[in-house]
Amino acid sequence: MSKDSARIVVVGGGLAGLSAAVACADAGVRVTLFEARPRLGGLTWSFQRNGLVFDNGQHVFLRCCTAYRQFLARLGTADSAELQRRLALPVLRPDPEGEPRVAWIRRNHLPAPAHLAGSLLRYRHLSLGDRARVGRAVSALRRLSLGDPDLDSETLASFLSRHGQTRDAIDKLWGLITLPTINLGVDEASLALGAKVFRTGFLDHAAAADLGWARVPLNALHVDPASTLLQRLGGSIHLRAKVDAIDFALGTGREEATGVLVAGEHVDADSVIVAVPHRAAAELLPEGGLVNPSRFAALGTSPIVNVHVVYDRKVTGYAIAAGVDTPVQYVFDKTVAAGGDVAAGQVLAVSISGADAEQGERPEVLVERYTAALRALFPQARSAKVVDAVVSREHEATFRGLPRTAAIRPGPETGFDRLYLAGAWTDTGWPATMEGAVLSGKRAARRALHAVGTSRPTVGLDQGVVA
């Protein structure tokens, strides 16, 4: 089969589906993407309100997220994302009477893991004893083998406690990283995922944890550019087009995917990539093969809530900050990305990960709580006027990365010929992140292209190095 005649169908238009579709189209095959919703982007999308643009969540990435960064480079939008030259994260502790107490997590010029030693020893939110004991857990994490399946049998908190970390250290240091990356607290998160985050992101390479974030809305950073590129490469995109079933025929020894069923019509395909959330995949995939879709429900879900606040003046000079002893986990200055006037006000977004308690609360309750918390963190906010505030929610933002979930996450292979899986919930080794989503799409694309007899795309499918 020539690459010009090969047809690949991608089901799902989130980051995983878009990255898979672009990779396949780069190889010269004909790609058709179906998305059930009226928009692309999956869990990374933007919306408009009162002349400003807000993202549904504040999706930060790290320098080590090489698959995602390569994807932005392919889309031509890498310059629309900020990437720190060196990690520098202010961690604020509120003082109702004055300026917040600030401690910094930042790296120096030394190689890992010494690159963080100075800032951790000066981390004023912990006692001197707790700071001294951080090294015990760091050394223990560096001795772990990330491929050891036993890591998925306990929580990160139990491991940290076993290696000298107090409750205060777990809450005010380790939890700062665990919550936004795994979307769970340290007491619930699997050690396997925690070890991946801290090893790959912070301990193995000095530059790995340099922070990156969008300077434009997420739609402008990767959703719209991916759509434009895919169509320029000859692909087609169908919105409000729910795939009801995958069609099969008996191939060489076992069943193979021959297309999909959309609104009662069969659409031919030489290979199919399913890139939808795990619950939707469970409904779509047949039983049998290498994976058992009925088990996907055990992955669970974990929500994310964001509170977006528009002020009539600038209230903070931090582009990004974390908080301890405050409801504010992370806060971002989104003024430029939202399209606001930096001379006339400021747009802040508070991101709440693992938001089980917050997801069912009324918007006005959340706005009141978090504007009060911002006043405690930023003295300038105490005299500022809140011009507007809006709450966005993703009730099923990620799978729930509890212990013993690693065995449930499937790889790209399904056990049916010409049928492959993608999604941040699949077995990428990462938690449910943008990096995991893009990496899964590239891996599924590699299998699908091989199945249709096409050589690797000119744009690399592998993760690069941290640089």
Side-chain angles (χ1 to χ4, degrees):
M1 181 187 305
S2 72
K3 68 178 183 179
D4 295 328
S5 63
R7 299 158 298 180
I8 292 178
V9 163
V10 176
V11 184
L15 262 181
L18 289 172
S19 64
V22 168
C24 292
D26 269 328
V29 303
R30 289 184 291 160
V31 177
T32 303
L33 186 149
F34 292 104
E35 169 55 56
R37 287 167 289 196
R39 58 167 177 80
L40 298 173
L43 298 172
T44 59
W45 54 282
S46 309
F47 62 95
Q48 294 188 12
R49 175 184 167 99
N50 296 332
L52 297 175
V53 182
F54 302 93
D55 293 329
N56 73 315
Q58 312 317 309
H59 298 274
V60 173
F61 62 94
L62 305 178
R63 189 180 293 276
C64 63
C65 296
T66 51
Y68 178 68
R69 291 172 52 217
Q70 288 169 1
F71 186 55
L72 295 186
R74 178 68 186 99
L75 300 180
T77 60
D79 290 342
S80 295
E82 186 78 22
L83 182 60
Q84 292 179 332
R85 189 176 68 86
R86 284 186 181 173
L87 168 67
L89 175 66
V91 184
L92 312 181
R93 189 176 187 178
D95 181 348
E97 304 301 323
E99 295 285 340
R101 297 189 68 186
V102 184
W104 288 84
I105 298 175
R106 53 181 152 203
R107 71 177 177 95
N108 55 34
H109 64 283
L110 297 174
H115 64 306
L116 296 173
S119 82
L120 293 178
L121 288 173
R122 293 188 297 271
Y123 190 69
R124 60 192 299 193
H125 299 322
L126 296 182
S127 68
L128 287 172
D130 279 350
R131 292 179 228 173
R133 284 186 289 269
V134 167
R136 288 178 56 186
V138 167
S139 296
L141 282 168
R142 283 174 58 85
R143 290 194 298 269
L144 296 178
S145 170
L146 295 183
D148 182 355
D150 288 341
L151 300 187
D152 199 44
S153 64
E154 68 172 312
T155 66
L156 177 60
S158 67
F159 174 86
L160 293 173
S161 297
R162 205 164 63 247
H163 291 90
Q165 304 308 288
T166 66
R167 185 74 254 178
D168 216 34
I170 289 172
D171 290 341
K172 294 177 181 176
L173 178 62
W174 300 97
L176 288 177
I177 308 304
T178 305
L179 258 176
T181 53
I182 303 178
N183 199 26
L184 278 183
V186 183
D187 292 313
E188 289 190 274
S190 166
L191 172 59
L193 294 177
K196 171 64 177 179
V197 167
F198 284 103
R199 284 282 301 278
T200 302
F202 289 85
L203 301 179
D204 287 352
H205 299 281
D210 299 340
L211 289 168
W213 60 87
R215 290 192 278 109
V216 297
L218 293 175
N219 279 358
L221 183 64
H222 55 236
V223 179
D224 295 339
S227 173
T228 299
L229 175 60
L230 180 58
Q231 292 176 89
R232 181 166 61 81
L233 293 170
S236 61
I237 297 172
H238 302 270
L239 302 178
R240 294 187 175 90
K242 185 177 184 297
V243 171
D244 298 312
I246 301 166
D247 291 327
F248 292 91
L250 184 61
T252 307
R254 60 181 178 179
E255 286 190 308
E256 63 180 30
T258 59
V260 296
L261 190 67
V262 183
E265 296 290 332
H266 171 80
V267 179
D268 283 334
D270 299 300
S271 194
V272 176
I273 296 173
V274 174
V276 297
H278 60 277
R279 289 185 171 178
E283 295 176 359
L284 194 57
L285 293 177
E287 294 288 343
L290 298 175
V291 300
N292 182 356
S294 64
R295 297 183 61 198
F296 293 170
L299 286 172
T301 60
S302 187
I304 293 175
V305 171
N306 279 259
V307 180
H308 313 264
V309 184
V310 183
Y311 291 99
D312 68 344
R313 67 195 71 177
K314 186 172 183 177
V315 301
T316 179
Y318 294 118
I320 177 176
V324 297
D325 291 342
T326 169
V328 175
Q329 295 173 13
Y330 279 79
V331 58
F332 301 82
D333 180 359
K334 302 294 289 185
T335 312
V336 173
D341 183 352
V342 294
Q346 191 168 30
V347 180
L348 297 185
V350 178
S351 183
I352 309 146
S353 300
D356 293 303
E358 292 82 2
Q359 67 171 331
E361 293 189 295
R362 298 194 310 275
E364 59 269 24
V365 172
L366 291 169
V367 168
E368 181 178 356
R369 178 185 306 146
Y370 285 94
T371 52
L374 289 171
R375 289 194 297 271
L377 282 180
F378 306 128
Q380 296 91 332
R382 297 166 195 170
S383 58
K385 178 182 178 182
V386 175
V387 176
D388 193 13
V390 61
V391 174
S392 61
R393 313 173 197 254
E394 288 291 347
H395 295 286
E396 299 183 359
T398 68
F399 73 91
R400 204 167 189 88
L402 302 169
R404 291 172 289 280
T405 54
I408 306 172
R409 299 174 70 184
E413 306 282 350
T414 65
F416 296 96
D417 288 341
R418 303 179 183 272
L419 176 63
Y420 306 97
L421 291 176
W425 59 276
T426 62
D427 184 14
T428 64
W430 285 83
T433 59
M434 295 192 298
E435 174 72 3
V438 172
L439 182 59
S440 76
K442 291 183 173 185
R443 289 177 173 176
R446 182 185 296 114
R447 269 71 169 188
L449 291 170
H450 178 76
V452 300
T454 303
S455 59
R456 287 181 59 176
T458 55
V459 179
L461 289 177
D462 294 315
Q463 286 181 285
V465 297
V466 178

